[in-house]
Each structure stands twice: as C-alpha cells, then as structure tokens.
Amino acid sequence: KAGVTQTPRYLIKTRGQQVTLSCSPISGHRSVSWYQQTPGQGLQFLFEYFSETQRNKGNFPGRFSGRQFSNSRSEMNVSTLELGDSALYLCASRRAPETNEKLFFGSGTQLSVL
Amino acid sequence: DAKTTQPTSMDCAEGRAANLPCNHSTISGNEYVYWYRQIHSQGPQYIIHGLKNNETNEMASLIITEDRKSSTLILPHATLRDTAVYYCIVRAQKVTFGIGTKLQVIP
C-alpha cells in the first residue's frame, strides 16, 4: 500500500508569491491534515479536511488555505509569501478524524522563501 | 485542551532501555495518548497509543498511570536508529505536536 505522497519535495519562492502544495493520502483515507514545522515552533496544526470539508483549523492567517477533492487528495495554498513562511510543510492522512485513528505522515515539502 | 509536557532532551546508552516521560494532567476521559517520533527531515512516524491500559507492540511499550495524568514510552533496547525527536500527544482533534523530546542514543 502506497504511503502519503507530498509534492513537490523542495520549493523555492520569493516574497509576495503564492505557492500550492499537494498531498495524496493513503488509499482509503478520507481525512487529510496539514502541519507547518519550523525549528523553534515544532509541528503546528494548520487544518484538517474530511470528505471535502474543512473540519478543524489552527491559528494561522487567512493567507493559508486548503481544499480537498472528491478523491481525498488535498492541496494547501499560501498566498503573499513572507520570509517566515519558510518551513517544512507536512501532510498526514487517516481514515477519519475519530478518537483513536492514528496519523500517517508524508515526507513533507520543504519551502524556502527568499 | 489537553496539553503535554516532555523533557526537551534525553540521552540513552545503546542497548539500554530508553524511558521517555510525558505529563498530560489535563487529559479528558476519552482522549488517547499517542506517541510518534520524527527522524531528521522525515515525517513523524506513529509508534504506539493507548487509553487506559498499558500497551506493547513491536516497537515499544506504553505505560499509563492509573490516574492517566502521565505516561512513559519505553524503548526496551535502544539502538542508534532510535535517535529522533519523540512526541507525546493526547488530542484527537486539531492534533497538536509540541517540541517533543530529542532522544540521543549514545554508542
């Protein structure tokens, strides 16, 4: 069974640009979560999608948005990039956002904003 | 919201048991305790989870106190490949990972 796939693996952008990251969950998983990881902040929750609907949202500005398609694949978009958006963006999937469902993570997209 | 407290770093000699503590004094009755680990530049990897009873799998053991306010992850025979950051989390929704414990296994 293929794992969680994130593309691209590395990305370099400049301030003011926008970026779209992609995540394909494990087959059969309908919940996709996104995280931002920076050296000093650990993993911070961005949002979770289930059945094409945003179920939960973290404390990030509106520049960070996402969506989920009918095949459960998800995209995350960051507009008007800032230097502080440089981070590892991780995607995780699980069958559903239930109490004892464990998360399976992808390898992440390393975004550098210059 | 249930939060967790973990030591920032720990060392363990190779071949010895690594015992990683986690405090979660505000845990709710239906919240599970999960452990994940992250090796540099990779996504976190699930290790184990539990609700009330102690759990064991091929990777580790999880000991949860009777009052559920703390837990310990045990790696019975630590190897160099166990060097990683270990996260303890207790929330199923808006899953939040803290800084975790950086475990260094020493030869």
Side-chain angles (χ1 to χ4, degrees), chain A residues 23 25 30-34 47-50 68 72 74 91-93:
Chain A
C23 174
R30 295 166 60 198
S31 170
V32 174
S33 302
W34 287 90
F47 28 66
E48 180 174 22
Y49 284 86
F50 176 67
Q68 187 179 35
S72 295
S74 178
C91 159
S93 77

Side-chain angles (χ1 to χ4, degrees), chain A residues 4 8 46 73 99 108 113:
Chain A
V4 178
L46 281 156
R73 189 178 70 87
T99 301
V113 182

